[in-house]
Amino acid sequence: MCSSATEIFILFDGFSEIKTLENEEVMLANCTCTLIKSRGINIIVDSLTPWDSERLLAALQKHQIAPKDINFVVSTHGHSDHVGNNNLFLDAKRHIVGNNISFKETYFLHNWTNPYVINENVEIIRSPGHTPDCVSVIVRGSNLGERVGITGDLFEKEGDILNDSLWKDAGSYNEDVQKENRLKIASMVDVIIPGHGPAFKVTEEMRKILQEQRN
């Protein structure tokens, strides 16, 4: 049994790939979906597409979590594969979609020059680039590592560090801003959970590559 006060469970690894279907080029994609349990607080990060509700509920049930048990819903940005099942969690204290924080019709103002702190182990920071409003979840002292970043599409997958066309082709509202924030997050954490691929450890070599790309 894990003794950590904070546990991260990757419910689904995201993916993205270009394919040809019926003579039409399409992208097949879904996001990484993550559950955080931290000091009595349950957080779901990126809730898949609207067609994934049954499998998301089944995955949560394996962790003895019902929708009413989720306290915070975080969508790293507002694209459909990251917000598709937010409506399952209407008892959550807060819904955070990008840099919008709400409960029902109430929107809470937050100065995003500072992190949005959920507890001493979990906070949310701005990480624009893929969209202007992207955020990342920073988790400290977890079963997956001392410092973990759940980044959404700031990082598509591990391979996009060597092949930066992977994140650029996925869409970037500002490539320079995204480069800056990719380096910032990689310098802060030891493990990254990207938007469309498995988690990976951040190495010094990766940080050097990101530094060179930013320059």
Side-chain angles (χ1 to χ4, degrees):
M1 181 176 180
C2 179
S3 60
S4 173
T6 298
E7 296 177 280
I8 300 172
F9 302 98
I10 300 172
L11 302 180
F12 300 98
D13 283 327
F15 64 91
S16 61
E17 57 181 325
I18 300 293
K19 285 200 169 185
T20 300
L21 293 178
E22 298 178 355
N23 298 318
E24 181 181 8
E25 189 174 71
V26 300
M27 173 175 279
L28 300 180
N30 210 337
C31 73
T32 301
C33 177
T34 307
L35 170 68
I36 305 168
K37 293 183 176 182
S38 180
R39 301 181 182 276
I41 295 173
N42 298 314
I43 306 157
I44 191 86
V45 183
D46 289 336
S47 65
L48 306 173
T49 79
W51 295 271
D52 294 307
S53 58
E54 290 186 9
R55 69 190 193 112
L56 177 53
L57 291 172
L60 289 171
Q61 189 174 36
K62 291 179 181 178
H63 294 278
Q64 294 77 52
I65 296 290
K68 65 180 178 58
D69 300 321
I70 295 295
N71 306 108
F72 288 85
V73 178
V74 180
S75 297
T76 54
H77 59 290
H79 289 167
S80 59
D81 55 326
H82 295 258
V83 302
N85 291 290
N86 287 5
N87 65 318
L88 294 176
F89 309 108
L90 300 183
D91 292 323
K93 179 180 178 181
R94 295 286 186 271
H95 279 236
I96 302 162
V97 179
N99 57 23
N100 289 294
I101 306 166
S102 66
F103 178 75
K104 297 185 178 180
E105 296 177 346
T106 301
Y107 287 78
F108 300 90
L109 303 180
H110 178 71
N111 179 0
W112 281 100
T113 58
N114 301 313
Y116 182 85
V117 177
I118 291 180
N119 65 23
E120 62 188 89
N121 293 87
V122 184
E123 65 183 26
I124 303 168
I125 65 172
R126 289 191 71 239
S127 55
H130 181 64
T131 76
D133 300 328
C134 283
V135 295
S136 293
V137 183
I138 306 300
V139 185
R140 297 180 178 86
S142 78
N143 57 315
L144 293 190
E146 184 56 36
R147 298 174 300 168
V148 177
I150 306 171
T151 67
D153 294 2
L154 182 68
F155 290 87
E156 280 282 304
K157 57 190 71 174
E158 181 178 359
D160 80 5
I161 294 175
L162 283 177
N163 181 4
D164 60 4
S165 68
L166 292 176
W167 66 263
K168 291 177 180 178
D169 291 347
S172 176
Y173 103 95
N174 187 314
E175 291 183 3
D176 289 338
V177 169
Q178 191 159 347
K179 288 177 185 177
E180 186 74 31
N181 282 297
R182 283 162 61 83
L183 176 61
K184 174 184 173 181
I185 295 295
S187 300
M188 292 175 61
V189 303
D190 307 308
V191 175
I192 285 175
I193 300 174
H196 293 277
F200 61 91
K201 291 184 178 180
V202 182
T203 66
E204 283 304 317
E205 182 62 27
M206 289 177 177
R207 294 185 180 109
K208 289 178 182 176
I209 292 170
L210 293 168
Q211 176 78 56
E212 291 169 0
Q213 291 173 348
R214 189 198 67 171
N215 294 339

